Amino acid sequence: METSKDVYSKHRIIAVTSLKIMEFFGYKHLEEITVRRQDDKLYKFREGDFKRLRRKDIEDMLLLLVQGKLTNLNVDERFALNVALRMYTRRIVIQERVEDLQLAVESYQKKINLTKPDTYRSDISKKTPYTAYRDIQGIIYQDDMDRNRLMRTDELHKFSDGTLNHVRTSLNDIATGIQMEYLPKRKWTKQDKQRARVMIKAIDKKLKYRRLMRSLEKFVGGRPYRGDLRLLQRTI
């Protein structure tokens, strides 16, 4: 069951204050979860509302659990919350990573590995790197061999983190007006800087999503943790 109110919020969850548990056929269902967010307000929702929350909210609650910061809850409540969160997180990971033939769930790995990004255009070899391509929404960048290549916003999922970070760093230097030796010697126009910011925003969104998915996979992967878990690549 879901609550009748909208539970969506951009504020981070900083505490789980209370739980109400209903037990059916040996399974403990979270009837009501009360959390405190960064705006210092209380929010109430049910286990059925997990799919309406941001995935960042799921990560916040998992971090509070594994860091032992829910001492206000008793053992049964912490166990019930742990089971519910990990079951939901496992479902998210499966949907993203595994191809289910019966449900025709598209494989995340297929998106990345089976088709290469469309990086080549015959007319970009003499174009200025890190400028926008004229026909489609994309940026011309230089690869490791100093060749001009095309990065399209609708194909960011096909690029590695290293390539995305490399292009982002160059575009950020252009957008902020920093003169670097590796950048082409030219005066960057206001339009160049604006298009660079658009691509930076798209790259940041993709990298943040990948960090979040890796973090959730670690929570359900059974791997041991060491040190302060708040350093576990918290997405910002």
Side-chain angles (χ1 to χ4, degrees):
M1 296 182 63
E2 299 179 9
T3 57
S4 58
K5 297 181 180 180
D6 187 8
V7 299
Y8 178 80
S9 174
K10 290 185 178 180
H11 293 285
R12 184 166 65 88
I13 294 176
I14 60 175
V16 179
T17 59
S18 64
L19 294 178
K20 288 184 180 179
I21 301 175
M22 298 291 289
E23 188 168 351
F24 299 99
F25 304 105
Y27 175 73
K28 295 181 179 180
H29 181 81
L30 303 181
E31 180 67 18
E32 183 177 278
I33 308 169
T34 304
V35 301
R36 185 180 300 278
R37 292 186 179 271
Q38 210 166 18
D39 58 355
D40 205 29
K41 294 181 180 179
L42 296 178
Y43 293 80
K44 296 181 180 181
F45 50 88
R46 297 177 177 178
E47 183 177 340
D49 291 313
F50 283 174
K51 60 184 179 182
R52 300 169 60 197
L53 297 172
R54 296 186 307 156
R55 292 185 180 179
K56 187 67 181 64
D57 295 332
I58 303 299
E59 184 193 33
D60 287 340
M61 289 188 285
L62 280 168
L63 274 170
L64 292 171
L65 264 173
V66 298
Q67 290 178 340
K69 294 187 176 182
L70 298 182
T71 55
N72 56 304
L73 306 178
N74 61 41
V75 176
D76 290 339
E77 290 173 335
R78 292 198 297 270
F79 180 78
L81 181 61
N82 179 55
V83 170
L85 287 173
R86 289 181 182 270
M87 285 180 61
Y88 181 74
T89 304
R90 205 169 273 118
R91 192 183 80 176
I92 293 175
V93 172
I94 290 173
Q95 286 177 342
E96 293 290 336
R97 302 292 182 177
V98 180
E99 180 181 15
D100 188 314
L101 297 178
Q102 292 181 342
L103 299 178
V105 177
E106 187 176 13
S107 170
Y108 177 82
Q109 289 298 332
K110 277 191 173 183
K111 287 183 183 179
I112 290 184
N113 295 331
L114 291 189
T115 59
K116 295 182 179 180
D118 186 14
T119 62
Y120 178 74
R121 289 289 190 280
S122 59
D123 59 342
I124 66 174
S125 59
K126 296 183 180 180
K127 299 288 185 180
T128 304
Y130 307 107
T131 57
Y133 189 66
R134 56 183 178 83
D135 290 337
I136 56 177
Q137 190 174 4
I139 289 289
I140 300 170
Y141 73 98
Q142 285 189 325
D143 62 11
D144 294 338
M145 300 178 67
D146 295 330
R147 298 174 301 185
N148 281 4
R149 288 293 182 260
L150 178 65
M151 177 179 288
R152 295 167 47 179
T153 54
D154 60 343
E155 289 192 331
L156 293 182
H157 59 277
K158 297 180 181 180
F159 290 89
S160 67
D161 287 4
T163 302
L164 291 177
N165 279 308
H166 164 70
V167 175
R168 188 202 182 284
T169 299
S170 301
L171 294 176
N172 184 68
D173 291 340
I174 292 171
T176 55
I178 300 176
Q179 299 294 329
M180 301 298 293
E181 292 184 0
Y182 63 83
L183 291 175
K185 303 300 181 182
R186 60 164 290 175
K187 182 178 180 180
W188 301 101
T189 65
K190 185 177 181 180
Q191 188 177 29
D192 289 332
K193 294 180 179 181
Q194 180 60 34
R195 291 185 175 180
R197 293 188 188 98
V198 172
M199 180 59 79
I200 288 172
K201 185 177 181 180
I203 292 175
D204 284 345
K205 183 178 180 181
K206 178 56 62 178
L207 291 174
K208 177 181 177 181
Y209 177 78
R210 287 182 180 175
R211 288 195 299 270
L212 176 57
M213 288 306 302
R214 283 195 291 265
S215 182
L216 291 177
E217 285 179 343
K218 289 179 182 178
F219 281 122
V220 298
R223 300 177 184 178
Y225 295 104
R226 296 178 181 177
D228 184 4
L229 290 178
R230 194 157 293 278
L231 299 178
L232 182 65
Q233 290 189 338
R234 168 172 287 284
T235 52
I236 300 175

